[in-house]
Amino acid sequence: MRFIGCKENLLDFIETFVKGKDLKGNVFCDLFAGTGSVAKHFKKLGYKIISSDLLYFSYVLQKVYIEQNQYPKFTKLLKHLKIDPVEETLFISDSQNAKEIIKYLNNLEGVEGFVYKNYSPEGTQGQNHHRKYFTGENSKRIDAIREKTEEWEKSNLINEQEYYFLLASLIEAVPFVANISGTYSAFLKEWDKRAFKKLTLEVPEIIKSETTNKVYYGNGLKVLDQVKCIDILYLDPPYNERQYAPNYHILETIAKWDKPEIKGVTGMRTYENQKSEFCNARTGIKALDEIIKKNNFKHLLLSYNDDGIMSENEILKLFNKAGKTEIAEQNYQRYKSNSNGKQKNGVKEKIYYLKRINQKNKLNDLSGSEWIYFLNSVEVTHYSTKGADGFAHHLRGKHPSPKPPQLMKKFVDFFTKENQIVFDPFMGVGGTLIACSLSDRKGIGVDLSKKYIDLYKKVCKELGITEQKAIVGNSLEIDKVLPKNTQIDFILTDPPYGEMLSKKRTGQKKKKTGFAVATPFTNHESDLGNMERENFLESLKDVIAKSAKYLKPKGYIAIFVKDLQPNGNGHNMLHCSITDKLLEVPDLSFKGYKIWYDATQKLYPFGYPHAFVANQFHQFIMIFRKEK
């Protein structure tokens, strides 16, 4: 359907933004739904949808596409029409009964009703206003279908679901035979060739869903008073001073079928109760402010463009006052209903994003549900090493143990606020620092290897992200590396474990590659990965103790640890040994751990067929806090 401001061509842009921000939650509210393209798209993605609009014909469409999760059966009507209902089988779809009713309506004889008498040249002949919105034949078909639908509803032959289903089919068919340039604010003086097509109803496509969705008819501000706990609130209000109701007055009349008093050349119905505050810059900003103050959403996305009557400065002023703000933009073609084949001028379509910040939350910028989500003790990931999800893995993979930036971002987001400082004393190729760039934090990393730091810088350039402070140096001499006045908010690191990579390879690795050579991080004597167990533990304690001097009171430390396979000398649970050793650091307390399981790793038949040897895919992330 042709509709001003329709977001059909921007759905990928909107979805990509939502996924890119990793917005958590199940409830998506589309407050200015229009034809419902955005609400329908997010219903398909599995969200619970709440939607509304000031236009009644929009409400009708949403009652079908958003609320209905299965095709109506029309059982009572089929019996009345003496049409045998069809049972769904492997070869017959569940829409077959609906198709029978649509077929019946398409075969009705036309009648000279309200549309014919007011919006066709034959019906208005001899009147003051000679209107040509539809041919006489099509206007009579509209009248016949609409009257029959109303008759069935009043005779209780169809239920509410079936009633709206048939109305939606008619509303969607009308624009294909209307003699207009795009809206119904005027008809064309000469006939458009589409007007001579025969009005034909199609079966609306039902989006199947397990969720119960809800639609409303009316002012969005009042709708927000009726709904609570919205995860994502999406706003796509009018951008200019043209009200939508007069542009779609005929669709409103067909949907309501109230046969109103009409006036003027175009046969306009009154629309005083359907005026949007957003068609005026002053009242629009006031209404936007009221929406933000409702405080019943976690994330707000406002679609707008640089032609909009509300200024960006005014929008950002409201957003910045309420929380964290971000803008994404994409070039888009301006909608013009009468372009005469000329090239349309491009505009920048923007998403203004507001994440509400809980001022009582002193640790991070997360909502309550996002906080709870992180507390899951097991983190299962399926990160690809290819494409955008790989974050230039072809470069980072040259390090023996690169950590996924997406995973590191989750820890950065939980343990810090925006612009705070994160320190990694064993930065490698910069998984922690990349996460800082993705989360608007400041990162400082140290590594013995210039080669790895150079790789990190290449990654930043390839990804187009901010390069954080990366220092070639020895974390055992941290006081020589960090300025004395440095204050760190969070320490996140993956130390090179002693005995892990500095020993010759055996088992499956040797079988697979044919090589048994060691793959140490570096050949430096001071590299913790080249040390024996006791020296490694003491050195790690030394690095953490020195780093903790720069850490703020109540600041956290998260350390990745992978256990070794048990042997005759003991259990080899390295995470226990590291925890015991770090608890010797004054004022450091152990707060628990998370387990990271990389589900992309392959299982190997270790020990087969003689003994049990576990595939140890998981790593522990040990979490400590500096108490003073």
Side-chain angles (χ1 to χ4, degrees), residues 47 85 109 232 359 489:
Y47 287 85
E109 284 288 329
I232 301 173
Q359 301 299 330
D489 296 288

Side-chain angles (χ1 to χ4, degrees), residues 415-432:
F415 288 106
T416 61
K417 287 179 169 289
E418 188 174 331
N419 290 320
Q420 288 189 333
I421 297 175
V422 181
F423 177 58
D424 186 348
F426 306 102
M427 67 164 278
V429 286
T432 297

Side-chain angles (χ1 to χ4, degrees), residues 187-416:
F187 50 83
L188 297 175
K189 294 179 180 179
E190 302 298 329
W191 287 107
D192 187 297
K193 62 181 180 180
R194 75 169 60 220
F196 295 107
K197 295 179 180 178
K198 181 181 178 181
L199 176 91
T200 304
L201 306 191
E202 301 287 345
V203 177
E205 181 186 1
I206 294 299
I207 303 167
K208 297 185 178 181
S209 169
E210 297 298 324
T211 62
T212 301
N213 307 292
K214 181 68 176 174
V215 304
Y216 295 86
Y217 168 52
N219 186 294
L221 284 170
K222 294 180 180 178
V223 169
L224 282 181
D225 291 331
Q226 302 176 60
V227 296
K228 307 295 179 185
C229 302
I230 299 167
D231 295 308
I232 301 173
L233 175 59
Y234 175 74
L235 307 178
D236 181 25
Y239 293 179
N240 54 47
E241 295 178 349
R242 295 193 301 271
Q243 294 286 345
Y244 275 59
N247 280 311
Y248 298 95
H249 66 99
I250 292 181
L251 293 184
E252 282 294 278
T253 294
I254 293 172
K256 291 182 175 181
W257 209 234
D258 52 358
K259 301 174 183 176
E261 282 190 34
I262 60 175
K263 59 183 180 180
V265 175
T266 60
M268 191 78 67
R269 62 184 291 131
T270 59
Y271 57 94
E272 290 303 313
N273 295 325
Q274 291 182 291
K275 289 185 176 180
S276 172
E277 300 94 328
F278 286 91
C279 290
N280 175 281
R282 181 181 57 82
T283 58
I285 284 293
K286 183 179 178 183
L288 181 59
D289 188 30
E290 287 184 46
I291 289 172
I292 293 172
K293 287 178 179 176
K294 296 288 184 185
N295 199 27
N296 55 351
F297 62 87
K298 297 170 186 173
H299 307 277
L300 187 152
L301 275 63
L302 168 67
S303 275
Y304 216 61
N305 68 32
D306 48 11
D307 270 355
I309 57 176
M310 295 190 299
S311 74
E312 184 167 291
N313 287 339
E314 290 177 306
I315 294 171
L316 291 178
K317 184 177 179 181
L318 294 180
F319 276 40
N320 290 330
K321 189 167 59 176
K324 181 181 176 182
T325 301
E326 189 172 326
I327 303 175
E329 61 181 41
Q330 175 173 300
N331 290 331
Y332 188 59
Q333 293 299 325
R334 178 188 284 109
Y335 175 86
K336 291 180 72 176
S337 62
N338 189 17
S339 62
N340 293 321
K342 296 178 181 177
Q343 179 66 36
K344 298 174 183 177
N345 296 323
V347 296
K348 286 192 183 300
E349 188 70 27
K350 299 182 179 181
I351 294 177
Y352 293 87
Y353 168 59
L354 167 63
K355 179 178 180 179
R356 190 174 291 285
I357 302 300
N358 183 352
Q359 301 299 330
K360 295 180 181 179
N361 184 349
K362 303 301 181 184
L363 180 59
N364 55 46
D365 295 329
L366 303 182
S367 66
S369 61
E370 290 170 322
W371 184 299
I372 292 171
Y373 187 83
F374 182 84
L375 297 183
N376 192 332
S377 61
V378 180
E379 191 77 42
V380 181
T381 66
H382 300 79
Y383 300 132
S384 172
T385 56
K386 299 177 181 178
D389 287 343
F391 283 91
H393 185 79
H394 62 283
L395 294 173
R396 296 188 303 105
K398 295 178 182 180
H399 185 276
S401 181
K403 289 296 178 286
Q406 306 99 306
L407 177 65
M408 308 306 270
K409 182 180 184 298
K410 292 182 178 182
F411 285 84
V412 168
D413 287 346
F414 188 85
F415 288 106
T416 61

